[in-house]
């Protein structure tokens, strides 16, 4: 072997040795980096587990095993938490419903004849015509009226003749006969003015006039001029519209909250933006089976006569429900199976309390049990607090199921978990 060959082999050996040393260095560096990454993951896992709600170092709310949640002052501002106080209030129940304008039945009059005859003249001859009390309605000829007038005239003449008698022991007059004749005509609705005219003139009138007993609108006309009438037959119906009724439909669930005397606010489509005040005068005792509704009667003043029967109305009924312990309706968290509120036990700490609720009225709800007067309850952001409390319960369950030996792995897995944006600082 020549010296040049030995030199080449020596150089090759040196290169191989240098390559082996370089490869060993790379392997050592990789092993060292792996140990550091493992230690880093372990440290991050410990930090993540420390961030579980209810554990020290948590960046968001802290949750205890009983569902309580603690918030700092900055977190209260960030969550937008607001409060109200549990206290006794006078509940004012409001029921919104619909109704229809109808006639005031106490102001409807029906004009009927109390004798048989014929309509000689009809002064009020159209439906809807307004009439005033004492206005002439119709002139009627009746043989019975003619006979009654003749008796009246005879009684009046006899009364005058007896008053002029000078026979000793004879009565000075016969008022009983004259009074009886007058009363007979009055009972047939003949006016005193017509009776006095018959007595003073001594002449029988062919037809006598019937006058309206009330003021109002003719809602029904049953006769025409020249028609024969029988005793008891209704001639026309007159309704006074100075007051009207609103018949409002109440749902079965609202029927118990409306009482007689409750105030009512009525809006009519004919007068948008105008609210009329009324009051409940009667609640019907029966339920309409088809609509499953109960009607309430509302009395409404209508002095101008602009409210017409048949109009559609929107009705709001306000009924006081008495003094009772209440919380704002916005404080309730209702899951379907339970209803609870978050009570501030100490400043910044909130505990869920199951409550039993009763009647609702506007923005407040009656509380039958679960809280005491004077306690502060959360009225906004309670769903965020509830989610934080539930998250803490879930994480503690996961930790308990995994055991202490696997906490590091679970902590490493939690490293990538995205916390709800509402609870991250």
């Amino acid at each position: 072997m020549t010296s040049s060959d030995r030199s080449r082999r020596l150089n090759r050996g040196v290169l191989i040795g240098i390559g082996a040393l370089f490869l060993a260095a790379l392997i050592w560096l990789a092993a060292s980096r792996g140990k550091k990454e493992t230690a880093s993951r372990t440290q991050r896992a410990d930090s993540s587990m420390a961030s579980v709600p209810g554990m020290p170092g948590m960046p968001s709310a802290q949750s205890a095993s009983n569902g309580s949640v603690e918030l700092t002052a900055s977190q209260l501002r960030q969550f937008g938490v607001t409060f109200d106080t549990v206290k006794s209030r006078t509940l004012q129940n409001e029921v919104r419903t619909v109704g229809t304008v109808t006639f005031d039945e106490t102001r409807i009059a029906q004009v009927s004849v109390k004798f048989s005859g014929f309509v000689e003249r009809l002064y009020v001859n159209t439906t809807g015509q307004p009439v005033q009390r004492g206005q002439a309605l119709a002139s009627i000829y009746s043989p019975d009226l003619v006979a009654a007038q003749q008796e009246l005239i005879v009684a009046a003449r006899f009364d005058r003749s007896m008053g002029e008698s000078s026979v000793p022991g004879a009565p000075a007059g016969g008022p009983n006969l004259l009074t009886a004749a007058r009363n007979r005509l009055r009972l047939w609705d003949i006016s005193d003015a017509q009776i006095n005219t018959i007595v003073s003139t001594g002449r029988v009138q062919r037809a006598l006039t019937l006058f309206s007993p009330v003021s109002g609108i003719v809602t029904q006309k049953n006769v025409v001029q020249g028609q024969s009438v029988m005793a008891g037959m209704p001639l026309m119906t007159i309704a006074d519209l100075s007051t009207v009724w609103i018949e409002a439909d109440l749902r079965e669930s609202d029927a118990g909250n409306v009482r007689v005397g409750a105030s009512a606010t009525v809006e009519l489509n004919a007068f948008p933006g105008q609210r009329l005040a009324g009051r409940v005068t009667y609640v019907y005792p029966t339920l309409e089976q088809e609509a499953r509704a109960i009607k309430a009667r509302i009395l409404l003043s209508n002095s101008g006569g602009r409210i017409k029967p048949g109009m559609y109305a929107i009705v709001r009924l306000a009924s006081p429900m008495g003094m009772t312990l209440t919380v704002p309706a916005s404080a309730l968290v209702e899951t379907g199976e339970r209803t609870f509120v978050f009570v501030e036990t100490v400043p910044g700490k909130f505990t869920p309390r199951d409550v039993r609720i009763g009647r609702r009225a506007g923005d407040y709800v009656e509380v039958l049990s679960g809280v005491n007067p004077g306690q502060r309850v959360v009225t906004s952001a309670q769903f965020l607090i509830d989610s934080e409390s539930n998250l803490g319960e879930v994480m503690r369950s996961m930790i308990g199921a995994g055991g202490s030996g696997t906490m590091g792995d679970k902590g490493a897995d939690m490293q990538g978990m995205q916390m709800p944006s509402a609870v991250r600082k």
Side-chain angles (χ1 to χ4, degrees):
M1 178 182 298
T2 62
S3 60
S4 59
D5 293 334
R6 285 195 298 271
S7 177
R8 282 195 297 272
R9 288 185 178 182
L10 180 60
N11 292 336
R12 188 180 299 116
V14 171
L15 292 174
I16 292 173
I18 293 174
L21 291 175
F22 182 73
L23 180 59
L26 289 177
I27 293 172
W28 180 81
L29 288 173
S32 299
R33 182 176 298 174
K35 292 180 180 180
K36 291 181 179 180
E37 289 180 354
T38 301
S40 177
R41 284 197 298 270
T42 302
Q43 183 178 1
R44 287 198 301 269
D46 295 339
S47 176
S48 297
M49 296 308 295
S51 300
V52 175
M55 296 184 178
M58 171 185 168
S60 59
Q62 295 189 14
S63 174
S65 59
N66 62 352
S68 299
V69 176
E70 293 187 23
L71 296 175
T72 63
S74 62
Q75 289 168 343
L76 291 175
R77 291 191 298 270
Q78 181 181 355
F79 284 9
V81 179
T82 58
F83 306 92
D84 206 332
T85 306
V86 180
K87 63 181 180 180
S88 295
R89 298 177 176 89
T90 300
L91 290 183
Q92 184 84 359
N93 183 66
E94 182 176 279
V95 177
R96 188 174 185 271
T97 184
V98 296
T100 306
V101 180
T102 62
F103 294 101
D104 183 347
E105 294 178 2
T106 64
R107 294 177 176 270
I108 297 177
Q110 190 175 72
V111 180
S112 302
V113 291
K114 300 176 181 177
F115 46 84
S116 299
F118 301 87
V119 179
E120 289 279 302
R121 185 173 180 183
L122 199 60
Y123 299 106
V124 177
N125 53 11
T126 58
T127 302
Q129 182 175 342
V131 297
Q132 298 297 322
R133 181 184 178 90
Q135 180 178 336
L137 300 178
S139 293
I140 299 178
Y141 161 74
S142 171
D144 295 335
L145 283 179
V146 172
Q149 291 180 73
Q150 291 174 341
E151 292 176 2
L152 176 64
I153 293 172
V154 170
R157 288 175 181 174
F158 179 75
D159 181 67
R160 285 195 295 270
S161 64
M162 292 300 294
E164 298 172 355
S165 175
S166 59
V167 177
N176 290 337
L177 292 177
L178 181 59
T179 301
R182 284 178 174 271
N183 288 339
R184 184 179 183 185
L185 289 173
R186 287 194 186 103
L187 293 175
W188 282 347
D189 294 335
I190 304 303
S191 65
D192 287 339
Q194 293 181 91
I195 294 173
N196 293 334
T197 300
I198 295 169
V199 172
S200 62
T201 61
R203 298 176 58 184
V204 174
Q205 299 185 17
R206 173 181 172 83
L208 295 179
T209 303
L210 297 181
F211 297 91
S212 174
V214 295
S215 299
I217 303 296
V218 177
T219 60
Q220 190 173 8
K221 184 178 72 71
N222 303 318
V223 295
V224 295
Q225 189 164 308
Q227 180 178 339
S228 64
V229 294
M230 302 294 293
M233 178 178 175
L235 299 181
M236 57 189 66
T237 302
I238 301 172
D240 182 3
L241 297 180
S242 60
T243 60
V244 293
W245 288 352
I246 305 274
E247 289 195 344
D249 294 323
L250 301 177
R251 295 175 299 178
E252 191 173 354
S253 57
D254 294 330
N257 297 327
V258 178
R259 299 285 187 272
V260 173
S263 60
T265 303
V266 179
E267 295 182 41
L268 301 171
N269 289 341
F271 312 107
Q274 299 183 26
R275 295 189 174 185
L276 307 175
R279 61 184 179 86
V280 177
T281 58
Y282 186 70
V283 178
Y284 287 77
T286 56
L287 179 74
E288 294 184 355
Q289 294 296 327
E290 295 80 7
R292 303 302 301 172
I294 294 177
K295 288 189 177 296
R297 182 189 302 162
I298 300 166
L299 184 66
L300 204 63
S301 177
N302 186 31
S303 57
R306 60 175 185 164
I307 303 176
K308 314 298 182 185
M311 283 184 173
Y312 181 83
I314 298 175
V315 180
R316 291 179 173 85
L317 300 172
S319 179
M321 302 168 62
M323 185 76 70
T324 185
L325 190 66
T326 62
V327 296
S330 58
L332 299 179
V333 180
E334 299 179 274
T335 65
E337 296 181 355
R338 57 183 292 222
T339 301
F340 62 93
V341 297
F342 279 97
V343 177
E344 188 180 36
T345 54
V346 296
K349 185 175 181 179
F350 308 97
T351 303
R353 296 280 177 83
D354 288 323
V355 294
R356 188 163 62 93
I357 61 175
R359 299 167 295 178
R360 295 174 182 260
D363 296 331
Y364 294 95
V365 179
E366 179 184 22
V367 179
L368 303 177
S369 64
V371 291
N372 298 319
Q375 291 181 321
R376 293 219 307 171
V377 294
V378 178
T379 57
S380 66
Q382 65 268 47
F383 291 99
L384 291 176
I385 298 174
D386 183 43
S387 65
E388 185 70 28
S389 175
N390 293 336
L391 180 61
E393 295 290 340
V394 171
M395 300 309 299
R396 279 188 296 274
S397 300
M398 292 174 60
I399 295 171
S404 58
T406 59
M407 183 178 293
D409 295 337
K410 290 187 178 293
D413 294 338
M414 288 168 53
Q415 182 64 29
M417 176 182 290
Q418 294 295 325
M419 298 293 287
S421 60
V423 299
R424 291 200 302 270
K425 292 183 66 175

